[in-house]
Amino acid sequence: MSGVNVTEVSEQKAQLRKALRKARREHAAALPKEVSALVFRAPPAPVLELVPAGATVGLYRADTGEAPAGSYARHFMESGHTIALPRIESLDSPMTFHVHTDPYGESDLVEGPMGLMQPAADAEIVEPEVLFMPLVGFTERGERIGQGGGFYDRWLAAHPDTLAVGMAWDVQRVDSLPVEDHDMPLTAIITPTRIYGPF
């Protein structure tokens, strides 16, 4: 890919991220509280069938506008799975996953870069076999666009056997995305109304 094309793709992605973040934020903010409490309560049965018994399950602590993952964390913990959340030391260091022991009160989390809550540095490091992850936009073919830091793409590239499931609002679906070699595809995507995949 030539330098011009790389620049063009980067600019396309930046514009897409801006528009999709706005749509995601506005959609989530417009949901009545009683509706917000019901969506993403538990993983749908077809997705649960993909999760091996006893697998370590990676999740995320949702930032403003992101599809909420807290109920999934509680569901998997109650089902006997080890739960892990990502930890970032700095924007140029690799993401690691650490055991999350309190998905109810989040007493084991500390503030990390950009104000995101994450496990403390001394929490046990684990490698999730199944990873539920946020995204900014997606296609019905399983392509995704993330926040732009590349943390999940790099982690998935280093752990290619990971079952990667995106979580998103329906408003985040787009017809196409500019995809680069380092963009890692997903196994499935869950929205409040549909399951896309497995791919």
Side-chain angles (χ1 to χ4, degrees):
M1 186 181 286
S2 71
V4 173
N5 286 339
V6 169
T7 301
E8 287 175 358
V9 170
S10 295
E11 288 173 358
Q12 283 180 318
K13 284 185 169 181
Q15 291 171 357
L16 265 172
R17 282 191 186 97
K18 184 176 180 181
L20 287 167
R21 280 193 194 109
K22 183 175 185 288
R24 180 179 71 178
R25 189 170 56 247
E26 290 175 351
H27 175 78
L31 287 176
K33 281 191 167 40
E34 58 271 20
V35 174
S36 296
L38 292 174
V39 295
F40 300 108
R41 259 187 104 80
V47 173
L48 285 176
E49 289 171 7
L50 300 174
V51 179
T56 296
V57 177
L59 289 135
Y60 61 96
R61 188 181 185 277
D63 197 12
T64 304
E66 289 180 338
S71 291
Y72 279 28
R74 294 185 285 275
H75 172 89
F76 282 114
M77 176 166 273
E78 289 168 6
S79 300
H81 293 271
T82 296
I83 306 303
L85 292 183
R87 178 177 171 81
I88 298 167
E89 294 290 343
S90 67
L91 297 182
D92 55 0
S93 63
M95 178 173 69
T96 53
F97 281 87
H98 299 250
V99 172
H100 178 32
T101 58
D102 183 16
Y104 295 91
E106 299 187 336
S107 61
D108 61 327
L109 302 184
V110 298
E111 189 171 320
M114 300 171 291
L116 297 177
M117 300 301 288
Q118 61 183 16
D122 61 354
E124 180 187 355
I125 295 177
V126 290
E127 292 186 359
E129 291 100 334
V130 181
L131 179 55
F132 289 84
M133 52 196 284
L135 45 85
V136 175
F138 71 94
T139 70
E140 60 185 17
R141 296 174 298 282
E143 300 153 340
R144 66 176 281 276
I145 185 170
Q147 292 283 15
F151 292 105
Y152 282 97
D153 285 323
R154 289 193 294 274
W155 199 89
L156 289 172
H159 303 84
D161 295 330
T162 306
L163 181 78
V165 181
M167 295 176 64
W169 304 105
D170 293 284
V171 71
Q172 294 173 249
R173 185 176 70 81
V174 295
D175 291 333
S176 63
L177 286 171
V179 177
E180 298 175 274
D181 290 343
H182 62 260
D183 292 327
M184 303 301 292
L186 298 170
T187 307
I189 298 165
I190 303 168
T191 74
T193 65
R194 282 191 63 180
I195 301 168
Y196 297 87
F199 304 107

